[in-house]
């Protein structure tokens, strides 16, 4: 496939094949059950076949369909190993690349946005894209001042494609249930739709990226490339090399995995505290490991890309998160319950047992209980199974909790980051990052004074 299929009829036809294919697989599964195969075996095979078709179509379509696929892919750790194993490579491919648009289309966009003499702005420009993602693709080049740059070019018609895809996907979200049982797909699609206009606006993306680049200048742990030039449909930033996190997941050493995990956790919590913004697209394709950390060339830094989706948090992460986490770790069930109720996680019309709420939360926050915690796919799957099993108390209680709209993106980013940590299998000192960066996690008497107070 050489171009982004923009016509609604083309995209609708491709997406319409998904529910039909999934329904056909369900019928196939029923047939297997009738001839005596166990429900578990049939369920696993159905998941495998569904995953195969889903990611093939999403990767071809780009747009909102691929964006949805990227959002799903970080939850790969929660899938049974029989399903996750064969399709891990396909998921990684979806995170990193998609079929590129033709060179003539790229040149046309650059001429429209940078002018007929656009090539004079570059010493070099590589027509072959270095990466192709959901709404645009990246080309490597050398800017006229000699800087190596990444040139992000938005697909023509990307906005139309995004809206069309997500509308179609929302119509059969329930049919995607076999892929990740227990996960409510519709809110994920609704949230992605809400962020479309921001992600299409390269001006907003440039602003968010530059704020991060300036804040993390000379940081020993995190590298954010600076913005070089921006206009409609084109964003030029400094180029950074490095090992894609997807490669660290598949082939990284233990040291690389642990270092990547620690820095990922550090960036998750320190970013909002330092910039007032939360990077809200934490899939592996947006991160790199670069040499030159505090331990020199045998150490690593985390390169962070793609600031198209951010949550604006002027005061950093809400202190309620830190308060609730600290109270839960302390076993203060009543205080946790009242805090959650006051913030809207428990609606006024609902009455829950505070001890049951504490029992629900404690396994989830296990990574914050110890000095260090090893994230594994097995741990992720056990959590997913506990919350998804209709017979479990956790599932019953979870259905009665509420997620306030202001926490939707924070919740998704946190879960997605944990998913990546489990893919890495990283051992992380999570508590160190919480104590350093999360408001409310330490009692006030223990919190470090700010620079303004000293």
């Amino acid at each position: 496939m050489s171009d982004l299929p923009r016509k609604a009829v083309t995209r609708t036809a491709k997406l319409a094949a998904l529910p039909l294919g999934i329904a056909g697989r369900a019928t196939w599964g029923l047939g297997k059950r009738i001839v005596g195969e166990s429900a578990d075996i049939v369920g696993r095979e159905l998941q495998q076949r569904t995953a195969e078709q889903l990611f093939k179509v999403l990767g071809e379509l780009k747009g909102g369909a691929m964006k949805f696929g990227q959002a799903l892919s970080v939850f790969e750790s929660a899938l049974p190993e029989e399903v996750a194993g064969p399709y891990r490579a396909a998921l990684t491919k979806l995170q990193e690349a998609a079929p590129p648009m033709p060179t003539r289309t790229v040149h046309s966009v650059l001429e429209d946005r940078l002018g007929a003499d656009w090539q004079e702005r570059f010493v070099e420009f590589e027509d072959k894209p270095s990466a192709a993602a959901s709404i645009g693709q990246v080309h490597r080049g050398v800017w006229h001042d000699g800087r190596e740059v990444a040139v992000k070019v938005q697909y023509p018609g990307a906005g139309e494609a995004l809206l069309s895809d997500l509308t179609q996907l929302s119509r059969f979200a329930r049919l995607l249930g076999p892929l990740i049982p227990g996960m409510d797909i519709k809110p994920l699609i609704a949230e992605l739709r809400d962020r479309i206009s921001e992600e299409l606006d390269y001006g907003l993306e440039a602003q968010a990226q530059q704020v991060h680049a300036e804040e993390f200048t000379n940081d020993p742990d995190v590298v954010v490339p600076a913005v070089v030039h921006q206009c409609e449909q084109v964003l030029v930033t400094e180029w950074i090399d490095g090992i894609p996190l997807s490669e660290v997941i598949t082939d990284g050493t233990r040291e690389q995995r642990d270092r990547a995990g620690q820095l990922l956790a550090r960036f998750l919590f320190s970013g909002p505290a330092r910039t007032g913004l939360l990077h809200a697209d934490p899939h592996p394709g947006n991160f790199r490991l670069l040499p030159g950390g505090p331990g020199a060339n045998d150490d690593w830094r985390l390169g962070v890309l793609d600031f198209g989706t951010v949550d604006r948090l002027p005061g950093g992460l809400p202190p309620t998160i830190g308060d609730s986490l600290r109270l839960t770790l302390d076993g203060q069930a009543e205080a946790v319950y009242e805090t959650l109720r006051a913030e809207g996680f428990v609606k006024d019309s609902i009455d829950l047992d505070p001890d049951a709420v504490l029992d629900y939360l404690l396994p989830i926050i296990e990574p914050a209980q110890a000095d260090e915690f090893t994230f594994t796919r097995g741990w992720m799957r056990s959590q997913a199974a506990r919350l998804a099993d209709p017979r479990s108390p956790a599932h019953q209680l979870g259905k009665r909790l509420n997620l306030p709209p202001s926490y939707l993106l924070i919740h998704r980013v946190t879960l997605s980051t944990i998913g990546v940590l489990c893919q890495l299998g990283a051992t992380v000192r999570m508590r160190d990052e919480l104590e350093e960066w999360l408001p409310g996690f330490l009692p006030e008497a223990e919190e470090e004074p700010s620079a303004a107070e000293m």
Side-chain angles (χ1 to χ4, degrees):
M1 193 191 77
S2 60
D3 203 353
L4 178 69
R6 297 196 302 270
K7 293 182 180 178
V9 64
T10 304
R11 303 182 68 80
T12 299
K14 284 182 174 289
L15 285 165
L18 274 175
L20 291 174
I22 292 169
R25 280 156 175 68
T27 303
W28 167 87
L30 178 61
K32 300 280 278 187
R33 290 288 306 280
I34 289 172
V35 298
E37 292 207 22
S38 75
D40 286 346
I41 292 174
V42 172
R44 286 196 296 270
E45 292 183 0
L46 182 58
Q47 279 184 312
Q48 287 176 327
R49 288 165 180 253
T50 300
E52 181 179 38
Q53 184 185 18
L54 177 67
F55 289 107
K56 179 179 184 293
V57 172
L58 296 183
E60 288 179 350
L61 284 174
K62 303 190 180 85
M66 184 175 168
K67 201 71 193 171
F68 174 72
Q70 288 176 337
L72 273 185
S73 69
V74 298
F75 294 99
E76 170 259 324
S77 299
L79 292 170
E81 182 60 28
E82 299 90 335
V83 176
Y87 295 102
R88 199 162 284 142
L91 289 167
T92 298
K93 187 175 181 180
L94 181 62
Q95 291 161 349
E96 281 292 329
M101 60 177 158
T103 300
R104 66 180 184 277
T105 306
V106 176
H107 288 190
S108 177
V109 173
L110 292 172
E111 183 174 337
D112 287 346
R113 301 307 175 190
L114 298 180
D117 61 347
W118 69 269
Q119 289 176 315
E120 294 180 12
R121 294 174 179 254
F122 298 91
V123 176
E124 295 177 17
F125 182 86
E126 295 183 7
D127 286 334
K128 182 180 179 181
S130 59
S134 53
I135 67 169
Q137 64 188 37
V138 178
H139 294 257
R140 189 169 186 169
V142 178
W143 197 238
H144 58 79
D145 62 5
R147 281 183 288 177
E148 284 195 85
V149 292
V151 185
K152 183 186 285 189
V153 182
Q154 192 174 113
Y155 303 127
E160 176 189 342
L162 280 163
L163 289 167
S164 172
D165 291 350
L166 293 173
T167 298
Q168 289 296 322
L169 283 166
S170 65
R171 289 176 182 167
F172 58 86
R174 62 183 179 82
L175 293 173
L176 301 179
L179 187 64
I180 303 183
M183 182 178 175
D184 192 352
I185 302 296
K186 273 201 170 182
L188 180 61
I189 296 174
E191 179 195 316
L192 288 171
R193 186 187 294 116
D194 290 343
R195 299 286 164 174
I196 284 175
S197 60
E198 289 188 13
E199 189 157 359
L200 290 168
D201 188 335
Y202 279 1
L204 286 175
E205 178 173 349
Q207 184 182 45
Q209 180 159 340
Q210 190 59 25
V211 167
H212 280 85
E214 291 174 4
E215 172 60 36
F216 286 95
T217 298
N218 298 322
D219 189 275
D221 299 315
V222 175
V223 178
V224 178
V227 175
V228 174
H229 181 82
Q230 179 273 319
C231 60
E232 188 177 355
Q233 290 188 287
V234 177
L235 175 61
V236 183
T237 64
E238 292 179 345
W239 179 272
I240 59 171
D241 285 306
I243 307 171
L245 208 60
S246 56
E247 292 183 17
V248 178
I249 288 171
T250 56
D251 302 313
T253 65
R254 167 53 50 199
E255 291 75 18
Q256 288 174 329
R257 291 167 181 270
D258 289 347
R259 178 66 174 164
Q262 191 71 43
L263 295 183
L264 199 60
R266 184 166 302 162
F267 182 70
L268 168 65
F269 292 109
S270 69
R274 296 174 62 174
T275 68
L277 299 169
L278 174 67
H279 182 285
D281 196 8
H283 72 79
N286 286 339
F287 299 98
R288 303 283 185 270
L289 267 191
L290 291 78
N297 287 332
D298 58 351
D299 202 351
W300 301 93
R301 296 177 294 166
L302 184 73
V304 185
L305 307 173
D306 198 339
F307 291 81
T309 306
V310 299
D311 200 3
R312 287 163 176 80
L313 303 168
L317 290 167
T320 300
I321 297 175
D323 289 336
S324 301
L325 188 53
R326 171 173 48 82
L327 293 170
T328 302
L329 291 171
D330 290 345
Q332 299 186 42
E334 293 286 348
V336 171
Y337 184 60
E338 291 306 316
T339 301
L340 296 179
R341 180 179 285 281
E343 199 70 8
F345 288 92
V346 181
K347 293 183 177 179
D348 292 339
S349 58
I350 300 290
D351 284 317
L352 300 173
D353 177 6
D355 289 323
V357 173
L358 192 70
D359 290 341
Y360 172 90
L361 293 173
L362 278 171
I364 300 172
I365 65 169
E366 188 180 356
Q369 292 176 295
D371 290 337
E372 62 179 27
F373 181 82
T374 300
F375 290 84
T376 65
R377 289 184 168 93
W379 178 80
M380 185 79 163
R381 285 194 293 269
S382 70
Q383 294 301 318
R386 182 177 72 95
L387 300 177
D389 185 352
R391 298 164 297 180
S392 76
H395 177 84
Q396 297 300 323
L397 189 144
K399 290 196 302 182
R400 304 182 69 193
L401 293 174
N402 179 53
L403 186 61
S406 61
Y407 284 88
L408 267 173
L409 208 54
I410 296 172
H411 181 68
R412 178 193 149 197
V413 170
T414 303
L415 287 181
S416 298
T417 302
I418 290 172
V420 176
L421 293 176
C422 290
Q423 290 176 327
L424 284 165
T427 298
V428 176
R429 299 180 304 281
M430 184 65 75
R431 198 176 182 95
D432 287 355
E433 307 304 335
L434 297 173
E435 291 179 355
E436 179 74 19
W437 301 110
L438 185 60
F441 183 71
L442 286 176
E444 289 187 15
E446 294 183 34
E447 290 186 354
E448 292 291 331
S450 66
E453 296 172 324
M454 294 179 65

